[in-house]
Amino acid sequence: MLEENIPRKKLGLFSIFMALFCLITGILAYSFNIYPGGYSIKENSEEVTVIKKNFSKKEKYTFEISEENQIIIFLIKNDVKQLLTMWLVIIFSGSSLLINLVNQLHLKDKNAFYITSILLIILLPLVIYVYIGKLDYIEQLLEI
């Protein structure tokens, strides 16, 4: 009876660790723009500055607010918001899939385990591809 409780405790600790990881990663990404790409936008009445943070350097792109730049500024602001949202969705859904995978392995539900594993294997490269495409699109907009 004691041996049955030990795996449940480890399973519970894993779930708590993954939930804390998601929470901390989400807070860092949203508050400090710490995510792949790391774009942030600062606005004032005359110009919009897009800041791209990497671990070692910081790049700034400045656009004057005018009729010609209005569409580009809107697209960049919209895509930066989408990029942050995509990152948060990737973290939360990836973690929930891993928690689900571990729970199904623990419950010895082989069919659900295989389906979840296949979903994870298919979705991970697809999501990374879409995320990298969004990063490239933002880079193209900044070069205009």
Side-chain angles (χ1 to χ4, degrees):
M1 189 167 165
L2 185 62
E3 294 176 27
E4 293 176 2
N5 291 335
I6 293 173
R8 284 206 180 270
K9 285 183 182 180
K10 287 183 181 180
L11 184 64
L13 287 175
F14 176 75
S15 298
I16 291 171
F17 172 74
M18 289 303 290
L20 284 174
F21 173 76
C22 283
L23 184 66
I24 290 170
T25 304
I27 289 171
L28 287 175
Y30 191 76
S31 300
F32 302 110
N33 296 316
I34 299 174
Y35 61 96
Y39 290 100
S40 63
I41 296 175
K42 292 187 180 179
E43 290 185 69
N44 60 29
S45 61
E46 298 171 359
E47 62 186 17
V48 173
T49 304
V50 179
I51 302 167
K52 179 182 178 184
K53 292 181 192 174
N54 289 333
F55 289 107
S56 61
K57 62 181 179 175
K58 188 184 213 183
E59 296 178 34
K60 291 184 180 183
Y61 302 93
T62 303
F63 298 94
E64 286 185 30
I65 296 178
S66 65
E67 287 290 321
E68 299 108 18
N69 291 340
Q70 190 174 17
I71 294 174
I72 293 173
I73 291 170
F74 173 77
L75 288 173
I76 290 172
K77 286 167 52 175
N78 188 38
D79 286 338
V80 167
K81 287 178 187 176
Q82 285 180 359
L83 193 68
L84 178 60
T85 304
M86 282 176 64
W87 178 248
L88 293 175
V89 168
I90 288 169
I91 293 298
F92 294 140
S93 58
S95 298
S96 65
L97 272 175
L98 283 175
I99 290 170
N100 189 19
L101 192 68
V102 169
N103 284 334
Q104 290 168 355
L105 185 63
H106 177 71
L107 295 174
K108 298 179 179 151
D109 187 2
K110 289 183 181 181
N111 291 333
F113 175 77
Y114 291 138
I115 290 170
T116 305
S117 298
I118 290 170
L119 275 174
L120 193 60
I121 290 169
I122 291 171
L123 289 178
L124 186 62
L126 182 64
V127 167
I128 290 172
Y129 176 76
V130 170
Y131 192 84
I132 290 173
K134 183 62 79 173
L135 282 172
D136 289 340
Y137 182 70
I138 292 173
E139 285 292 325
Q140 289 175 357
L141 285 174
L142 290 174
E143 297 299 322
I144 293 177

